[in-house]
PDB file of all heavy atoms in Angstrom:
ATOM      1  N   ALA A 491      14.036  -9.226  18.668  1.00 78.00           N
ATOM      2  CA  ALA A 491      13.687  -8.273  19.716  1.00 78.00           C
ATOM      3  C   ALA A 491      14.800  -7.275  19.964  1.00 78.00           C
ATOM      4  O   ALA A 491      14.552  -6.082  20.174  1.00 78.00           O
ATOM      5  CB  ALA A 491      13.349  -9.019  21.007  1.00 78.00           C
ATOM      6  N   THR A 492      16.060  -7.706  19.935  1.00 70.00           N
ATOM      7  CA  THR A 492      17.185  -6.811  20.221  1.00 70.00           C
ATOM      8  C   THR A 492      17.355  -5.774  19.133  1.00 70.00           C
ATOM      9  O   THR A 492      17.538  -4.582  19.402  1.00 70.00           O
ATOM     10  CB  THR A 492      18.475  -7.627  20.379  1.00 70.00           C
ATOM     11  OG1 THR A 492      18.290  -8.603  21.405  1.00 70.00           O
ATOM     12  CG2 THR A 492      19.626  -6.709  20.753  1.00 70.00           C
ATOM     13  N   THR A 493      17.262  -6.160  17.891  1.00 56.00           N
ATOM     14  CA  THR A 493      17.456  -5.199  16.797  1.00 56.00           C
ATOM     15  C   THR A 493      16.348  -4.173  16.762  1.00 56.00           C
ATOM     16  O   THR A 493      16.591  -2.999  16.484  1.00 56.00           O
ATOM     17  CB  THR A 493      17.514  -5.950  15.468  1.00 56.00           C
ATOM     18  OG1 THR A 493      16.364  -6.816  15.365  1.00 56.00           O
ATOM     19  CG2 THR A 493      18.765  -6.776  15.367  1.00 56.00           C
ATOM     20  N   GLU A 494      15.132  -4.555  17.079  1.00 50.00           N
ATOM     21  CA  GLU A 494      14.040  -3.588  17.075  1.00 50.00           C
ATOM     22  C   GLU A 494      14.121  -2.674  18.283  1.00 50.00           C
ATOM     23  O   GLU A 494      13.747  -1.506  18.222  1.00 50.00           O
ATOM     24  CB  GLU A 494      12.692  -4.312  17.043  1.00 50.00           C
ATOM     25  CG  GLU A 494      12.432  -5.024  15.728  1.00 50.00           C
ATOM     26  CD  GLU A 494      10.966  -5.349  15.544  1.00 50.00           C
ATOM     27  OE1 GLU A 494      10.165  -4.900  16.379  1.00 50.00           O
ATOM     28  OE2 GLU A 494      10.625  -6.021  14.572  1.00 50.00           O
ATOM     29  N   ALA A 495      14.628  -3.185  19.407  1.00 47.00           N
ATOM     30  CA  ALA A 495      14.757  -2.328  20.587  1.00 47.00           C
ATOM     31  C   ALA A 495      15.852  -1.301  20.412  1.00 47.00           C
ATOM     32  O   ALA A 495      15.780  -0.191  20.942  1.00 47.00           O
ATOM     33  CB  ALA A 495      15.024  -3.194  21.824  1.00 47.00           C
ATOM     34  N   ASP A 496      16.922  -1.647  19.659  1.00 47.00           N
ATOM     35  CA  ASP A 496      18.022  -0.714  19.440  1.00 47.00           C
ATOM     36  C   ASP A 496      17.741   0.316  18.369  1.00 47.00           C
ATOM     37  O   ASP A 496      18.525   1.245  18.180  1.00 47.00           O
ATOM     38  CB  ASP A 496      19.288  -1.491  19.050  1.00 47.00           C
ATOM     39  CG  ASP A 496      19.761  -2.373  20.195  1.00 47.00           C
ATOM     40  OD1 ASP A 496      19.369  -2.092  21.346  1.00 47.00           O
ATOM     41  OD2 ASP A 496      20.498  -3.349  19.930  1.00 47.00           O
ATOM     42  N   ASP A 497      16.631   0.163  17.651  1.00 49.00           N
ATOM     43  CA  ASP A 497      16.318   1.094  16.563  1.00 49.00           C
ATOM     44  C   ASP A 497      15.722   2.361  17.159  1.00 49.00           C
ATOM     45  O   ASP A 497      14.645   2.353  17.746  1.00 49.00           O
ATOM     46  CB  ASP A 497      15.317   0.453  15.593  1.00 49.00           C
ATOM     47  CG  ASP A 497      15.119   1.302  14.355  1.00 49.00           C
ATOM     48  OD1 ASP A 497      15.850   2.299  14.210  1.00 49.00           O
ATOM     49  OD2 ASP A 497      14.223   0.973  13.545  1.00 49.00           O
ATOM     50  N   GLU A 498      16.454   3.483  17.055  1.00 47.00           N
ATOM     51  CA  GLU A 498      16.005   4.754  17.618  1.00 47.00           C
ATOM     52  C   GLU A 498      15.385   5.672  16.589  1.00 47.00           C
ATOM     53  O   GLU A 498      14.981   6.783  16.899  1.00 47.00           O
ATOM     54  CB  GLU A 498      17.179   5.471  18.289  1.00 47.00           C
ATOM     55  CG  GLU A 498      17.780   4.699  19.455  1.00 47.00           C
ATOM     56  CD  GLU A 498      18.931   5.455  20.085  1.00 47.00           C
ATOM     57  OE1 GLU A 498      19.282   6.536  19.548  1.00 47.00           O
ATOM     58  OE2 GLU A 498      19.473   4.986  21.097  1.00 47.00           O
ATOM     59  N   THR A 499      15.346   5.254  15.339  1.00 49.00           N
ATOM     60  CA  THR A 499      14.743   6.089  14.305  1.00 49.00           C
ATOM     61  C   THR A 499      13.238   6.085  14.454  1.00 49.00           C
ATOM     62  O   THR A 499      12.641   5.144  14.980  1.00 49.00           O
ATOM     63  CB  THR A 499      15.133   5.575  12.917  1.00 49.00           C
ATOM     64  OG1 THR A 499      14.673   4.220  12.785  1.00 49.00           O
ATOM     65  CG2 THR A 499      16.637   5.618  12.743  1.00 49.00           C
ATOM     66  N   THR A 500      12.629   7.144  13.986  1.00 49.00           N
ATOM     67  CA  THR A 500      11.176   7.269  14.052  1.00 49.00           C
ATOM     68  C   THR A 500      10.586   6.723  12.762  1.00 49.00           C
ATOM     69  O   THR A 500      10.726   7.323  11.699  1.00 49.00           O
ATOM     70  CB  THR A 500      10.762   8.734  14.227  1.00 49.00           C
ATOM     71  OG1 THR A 500      11.390   9.232  15.420  1.00 49.00           O
ATOM     72  CG2 THR A 500       9.250   8.851  14.343  1.00 49.00           C
ATOM     73  N   PRO A 501       9.921   5.572  12.807  1.00 51.00           N
ATOM     74  CA  PRO A 501       9.396   4.994  11.576  1.00 51.00           C
ATOM     75  C   PRO A 501       8.113   5.696  11.156  1.00 51.00           C
ATOM     76  O   PRO A 501       7.492   6.428  11.924  1.00 51.00           O
ATOM     77  CB  PRO A 501       9.134   3.533  11.964  1.00 51.00           C
ATOM     78  CG  PRO A 501       8.827   3.606  13.428  1.00 51.00           C
ATOM     79  CD  PRO A 501       9.653   4.738  13.977  1.00 51.00           C
ATOM     80  N   SER A 502       7.732   5.449   9.920  1.00 49.00           N
ATOM     81  CA  SER A 502       6.471   5.976   9.416  1.00 49.00           C
ATOM     82  C   SER A 502       5.318   5.247  10.084  1.00 49.00           C
ATOM     83  O   SER A 502       5.493   4.177  10.666  1.00 49.00           O
ATOM     84  CB  SER A 502       6.403   5.797   7.895  1.00 49.00           C
ATOM     85  OG  SER A 502       6.463   4.419   7.573  1.00 49.00           O
ATOM     86  N   PRO A 503       4.095   5.801  10.005  1.00 48.00           N
ATOM     87  CA  PRO A 503       2.961   5.127  10.651  1.00 48.00           C
ATOM     88  C   PRO A 503       2.732   3.721  10.129  1.00 48.00           C
ATOM     89  O   PRO A 503       2.476   2.805  10.902  1.00 48.00           O
ATOM     90  CB  PRO A 503       1.788   6.064  10.330  1.00 48.00           C
ATOM     91  CG  PRO A 503       2.412   7.401  10.115  1.00 48.00           C
ATOM     92  CD  PRO A 503       3.743   7.133   9.497  1.00 48.00           C
ATOM     93  N   SER A 504       2.825   3.530   8.805  1.00 47.00           N
ATOM     94  CA  SER A 504       2.604   2.182   8.263  1.00 47.00           C
ATOM     95  C   SER A 504       3.683   1.215   8.720  1.00 47.00           C
ATOM     96  O   SER A 504       3.409   0.061   9.063  1.00 47.00           O
ATOM     97  CB  SER A 504       2.558   2.237   6.730  1.00 47.00           C
ATOM     98  OG  SER A 504       3.787   2.750   6.218  1.00 47.00           O
ATOM     99  N   THR A 505       4.937   1.702   8.750  1.00 49.00           N
ATOM    100  CA  THR A 505       6.025   0.845   9.213  1.00 49.00           C
ATOM    101  C   THR A 505       5.850   0.486  10.677  1.00 49.00           C
ATOM    102  O   THR A 505       6.094  -0.654  11.091  1.00 49.00           O
ATOM    103  CB  THR A 505       7.370   1.548   8.993  1.00 49.00           C
ATOM    104  OG1 THR A 505       7.490   1.893   7.605  1.00 49.00           O
ATOM    105  CG2 THR A 505       8.518   0.672   9.412  1.00 49.00           C
ATOM    106  N   ALA A 506       5.427   1.454  11.481  1.00 47.00           N
ATOM    107  CA  ALA A 506       5.212   1.176  12.909  1.00 47.00           C
ATOM    108  C   ALA A 506       4.112   0.153  13.114  1.00 47.00           C
ATOM    109  O   ALA A 506       4.219  -0.732  13.968  1.00 47.00           O
ATOM    110  CB  ALA A 506       4.864   2.484  13.641  1.00 47.00           C
ATOM    111  N   VAL A 507       3.049   0.229  12.324  1.00 45.00           N
ATOM    112  CA  VAL A 507       1.960  -0.740  12.450  1.00 45.00           C
ATOM    113  C   VAL A 507       2.430  -2.139  12.088  1.00 45.00           C
ATOM    114  O   VAL A 507       2.150  -3.125  12.771  1.00 45.00           O
ATOM    115  CB  VAL A 507       0.767  -0.302  11.569  1.00 45.00           C
ATOM    116  CG1 VAL A 507      -0.284  -1.403  11.525  1.00 45.00           C
ATOM    117  CG2 VAL A 507       0.156   0.981  12.092  1.00 45.00           C
ATOM    118  N   ASN A 508       3.185  -2.246  10.971  1.00 50.00           N
ATOM    119  CA  ASN A 508       3.685  -3.554  10.562  1.00 50.00           C
ATOM    120  C   ASN A 508       4.641  -4.132  11.593  1.00 50.00           C
ATOM    121  O   ASN A 508       4.599  -5.322  11.916  1.00 50.00           O
ATOM    122  CB  ASN A 508       4.370  -3.449   9.198  1.00 50.00           C
ATOM    123  CG  ASN A 508       3.389  -3.113   8.098  1.00 50.00           C
ATOM    124  OD1 ASN A 508       2.223  -3.462   8.181  1.00 50.00           O
ATOM    125  ND2 ASN A 508       3.857  -2.427   7.063  1.00 50.00           N
ATOM    126  N   LYS A 509       5.538  -3.291  12.123  1.00 52.00           N
ATOM    127  CA  LYS A 509       6.479  -3.786  13.129  1.00 52.00           C
ATOM    128  C   LYS A 509       5.754  -4.221  14.398  1.00 52.00           C
ATOM    129  O   LYS A 509       6.089  -5.232  15.011  1.00 52.00           O
ATOM    130  CB  LYS A 509       7.514  -2.712  13.450  1.00 52.00           C
ATOM    131  CG  LYS A 509       8.579  -2.553  12.367  1.00 52.00           C
ATOM    132  CD  LYS A 509       9.697  -1.649  12.838  1.00 52.00           C
ATOM    133  CE  LYS A 509      10.825  -1.585  11.807  1.00 52.00           C
ATOM    134  NZ  LYS A 509      11.953  -0.782  12.270  1.00 52.00           N
ATOM    135  N   SER A 510       4.754  -3.444  14.825  1.00 49.00           N
ATOM    136  CA  SER A 510       4.033  -3.815  16.033  1.00 49.00           C
ATOM    137  C   SER A 510       3.286  -5.124  15.836  1.00 49.00           C
ATOM    138  O   SER A 510       3.173  -5.931  16.759  1.00 49.00           O
ATOM    139  CB  SER A 510       3.044  -2.703  16.405  1.00 49.00           C
ATOM    140  OG  SER A 510       2.088  -2.523  15.366  1.00 49.00           O
ATOM    141  N   ALA A 511       2.778  -5.364  14.611  1.00 54.00           N
ATOM    142  CA  ALA A 511       2.086  -6.628  14.360  1.00 54.00           C
ATOM    143  C   ALA A 511       3.037  -7.806  14.475  1.00 54.00           C
ATOM    144  O   ALA A 511       2.704  -8.853  15.054  1.00 54.00           O
ATOM    145  CB  ALA A 511       1.435  -6.590  12.966  1.00 54.00           C
ATOM    146  N   TRP A 512       4.253  -7.660  13.932  1.00 61.00           N
ATOM    147  CA  TRP A 512       5.219  -8.748  14.027  1.00 61.00           C
ATOM    148  C   TRP A 512       5.755  -8.887  15.454  1.00 61.00           C
ATOM    149  O   TRP A 512       6.091  -9.987  15.894  1.00 61.00           O
ATOM    150  CB  TRP A 512       6.372  -8.531  13.059  1.00 61.00           C
ATOM    151  CG  TRP A 512       5.999  -8.828  11.649  1.00 61.00           C
ATOM    152  CD1 TRP A 512       5.748  -7.952  10.653  1.00 61.00           C
ATOM    153  CD2 TRP A 512       5.804 -10.125  11.072  1.00 61.00           C
ATOM    154  NE1 TRP A 512       5.419  -8.598   9.501  1.00 61.00           N
ATOM    155  CE2 TRP A 512       5.454  -9.942   9.722  1.00 61.00           C
ATOM    156  CE3 TRP A 512       5.905 -11.424  11.564  1.00 61.00           C
ATOM    157  CZ2 TRP A 512       5.180 -10.999   8.866  1.00 61.00           C
ATOM    158  CZ3 TRP A 512       5.650 -12.484  10.709  1.00 61.00           C
ATOM    159  CH2 TRP A 512       5.299 -12.268   9.378  1.00 61.00           C
ATOM    160  N   ARG A 513       5.856  -7.785  16.175  1.00 67.00           N
ATOM    161  CA  ARG A 513       6.389  -7.864  17.542  1.00 67.00           C
ATOM    162  C   ARG A 513       5.453  -8.617  18.469  1.00 67.00           C
ATOM    163  O   ARG A 513       5.878  -9.116  19.524  1.00 67.00           O
ATOM    164  CB  ARG A 513       6.633  -6.457  18.092  1.00 67.00           C
ATOM    165  CG  ARG A 513       7.874  -5.789  17.525  1.00 67.00           C
ATOM    166  CD  ARG A 513       8.082  -4.429  18.169  1.00 67.00           C
ATOM    167  NE  ARG A 513       8.382  -4.568  19.588  1.00 67.00           N
ATOM    168  CZ  ARG A 513       9.597  -4.721  20.090  1.00 67.00           C
ATOM    169  NH1 ARG A 513      10.634  -4.759  19.275  1.00 67.00           N
ATOM    170  NH2 ARG A 513       9.801  -4.829  21.380  1.00 67.00           N
ATOM    171  N   LEU A 514       4.156  -8.709  18.118  1.00 72.00           N
ATOM    172  CA  LEU A 514       3.234  -9.470  18.955  1.00 72.00           C
ATOM    173  C   LEU A 514       3.587 -10.952  18.980  1.00 72.00           C
ATOM    174  O   LEU A 514       3.240 -11.664  19.933  1.00 72.00           O
ATOM    175  CB  LEU A 514       1.802  -9.288  18.444  1.00 72.00           C
ATOM    176  CG  LEU A 514       1.196  -7.893  18.605  1.00 72.00           C
ATOM    177  CD1 LEU A 514      -0.189  -7.853  17.987  1.00 72.00           C
ATOM    178  CD2 LEU A 514       1.126  -7.511  20.081  1.00 72.00           C
ATOM    179  N   LEU A 515       4.271 -11.441  17.944  1.00 76.00           N
ATOM    180  CA  LEU A 515       4.641 -12.848  17.905  1.00 76.00           C
ATOM    181  C   LEU A 515       5.820 -13.173  18.824  1.00 76.00           C
ATOM    182  O   LEU A 515       6.037 -14.346  19.153  1.00 76.00           O
ATOM    183  CB  LEU A 515       4.993 -13.257  16.470  1.00 76.00           C
ATOM    184  CG  LEU A 515       3.879 -13.127  15.430  1.00 76.00           C
ATOM    185  CD1 LEU A 515       4.405 -13.492  14.055  1.00 76.00           C
ATOM    186  CD2 LEU A 515       2.690 -13.994  15.801  1.00 76.00           C
ATOM    187  N   ILE A 516       6.573 -12.158  19.213  1.00 82.00           N
ATOM    188  CA  ILE A 516       7.782 -12.427  20.014  1.00 82.00           C
ATOM    189  C   ILE A 516       7.444 -12.989  21.389  1.00 82.00           C
ATOM    190  O   ILE A 516       7.962 -14.049  21.765  1.00 82.00           O
ATOM    191  CB  ILE A 516       8.645 -11.154  20.102  1.00 82.00           C
ATOM    192  CG1 ILE A 516       9.151 -10.767  18.697  1.00 82.00           C
ATOM    193  CG2 ILE A 516       9.807 -11.356  21.057  1.00 82.00           C
ATOM    194  CD1 ILE A 516       9.972  -9.502  18.668  1.00 82.00           C
ATOM    195  N   PRO A 517       6.573 -12.356  22.192  1.00 85.00           N
ATOM    196  CA  PRO A 517       6.274 -12.962  23.504  1.00 85.00           C
ATOM    197  C   PRO A 517       5.566 -14.313  23.386  1.00 85.00           C
ATOM    198  O   PRO A 517       5.818 -15.219  24.192  1.00 85.00           O
ATOM    199  CB  PRO A 517       5.370 -11.916  24.190  1.00 85.00           C
ATOM    200  CG  PRO A 517       4.847 -11.072  23.075  1.00 85.00           C
ATOM    201  CD  PRO A 517       5.901 -11.048  22.033  1.00 85.00           C
ATOM    202  N   VAL A 518       4.697 -14.462  22.382  1.00 85.00           N
ATOM    203  CA  VAL A 518       4.046 -15.762  22.195  1.00 85.00           C
ATOM    204  C   VAL A 518       5.083 -16.831  21.856  1.00 85.00           C
ATOM    205  O   VAL A 518       5.031 -17.959  22.355  1.00 85.00           O
ATOM    206  CB  VAL A 518       2.983 -15.658  21.088  1.00 85.00           C
ATOM    207  CG1 VAL A 518       2.342 -17.016  20.830  1.00 85.00           C
ATOM    208  CG2 VAL A 518       1.914 -14.641  21.459  1.00 85.00           C
ATOM    209  N   GLY A 519       6.060 -16.467  21.016  1.00 85.00           N
ATOM    210  CA  GLY A 519       7.119 -17.411  20.676  1.00 85.00           C
ATOM    211  C   GLY A 519       7.951 -17.808  21.875  1.00 85.00           C
ATOM    212  O   GLY A 519       8.343 -18.976  22.014  1.00 85.00           O
ATOM    213  N   TRP A 520       8.239 -16.857  22.743  1.00 88.00           N
ATOM    214  CA  TRP A 520       9.021 -17.188  23.945  1.00 88.00           C
ATOM    215  C   TRP A 520       8.255 -18.161  24.838  1.00 88.00           C
ATOM    216  O   TRP A 520       8.842 -19.110  25.392  1.00 88.00           O
ATOM    217  CB  TRP A 520       9.333 -15.909  24.722  1.00 88.00           C
ATOM    218  CG  TRP A 520      10.556 -15.191  24.239  1.00 88.00           C
ATOM    219  CD1 TRP A 520      10.604 -14.076  23.476  1.00 88.00           C
ATOM    220  CD2 TRP A 520      11.913 -15.565  24.486  1.00 88.00           C
ATOM    221  NE1 TRP A 520      11.903 -13.707  23.219  1.00 88.00           N
ATOM    222  CE2 TRP A 520      12.736 -14.613  23.832  1.00 88.00           C
ATOM    223  CE3 TRP A 520      12.518 -16.611  25.184  1.00 88.00           C
ATOM    224  CZ2 TRP A 520      14.118 -14.682  23.871  1.00 88.00           C
ATOM    225  CZ3 TRP A 520      13.908 -16.681  25.221  1.00 88.00           C
ATOM    226  CH2 TRP A 520      14.689 -15.715  24.568  1.00 88.00           C
ATOM    227  N   VAL A 521       6.952 -17.959  24.993  1.00 89.00           N
ATOM    228  CA  VAL A 521       6.151 -18.864  25.836  1.00 89.00           C
ATOM    229  C   VAL A 521       6.154 -20.275  25.250  1.00 89.00           C
ATOM    230  O   VAL A 521       6.340 -21.274  25.966  1.00 89.00           O
ATOM    231  CB  VAL A 521       4.721 -18.315  25.977  1.00 89.00           C
ATOM    232  CG1 VAL A 521       3.830 -19.329  26.693  1.00 89.00           C
ATOM    233  CG2 VAL A 521       4.730 -17.002  26.740  1.00 89.00           C
ATOM    234  N   MET A 522       5.958 -20.375  23.931  1.00 88.00           N
ATOM    235  CA  MET A 522       5.930 -21.697  23.304  1.00 88.00           C
ATOM    236  C   MET A 522       7.310 -22.370  23.366  1.00 88.00           C
ATOM    237  O   MET A 522       7.401 -23.586  23.593  1.00 88.00           O
ATOM    238  CB  MET A 522       5.463 -21.566  21.858  1.00 88.00           C
ATOM    239  CG  MET A 522       4.028 -21.084  21.711  1.00 88.00           C
ATOM    240  SD  MET A 522       3.484 -20.998  19.989  1.00 88.00           S
ATOM    241  CE  MET A 522       3.493 -22.735  19.539  1.00 88.00           C
TER     242      MET A 522
END
Side-chain angles (χ1 to χ4, degrees):
T492 303
T493 52
E494 291 198 7
D496 295 340
D497 188 7
E498 298 180 356
T499 59
T500 302
S502 61
S504 60
T505 304
V507 171
N508 293 331
K509 284 189 175 183
S510 61
W512 284 105
R513 284 183 66 89
L514 292 177
L515 299 177
I516 296 178
V518 177
W520 275 103
V521 173
M522 295 182 66

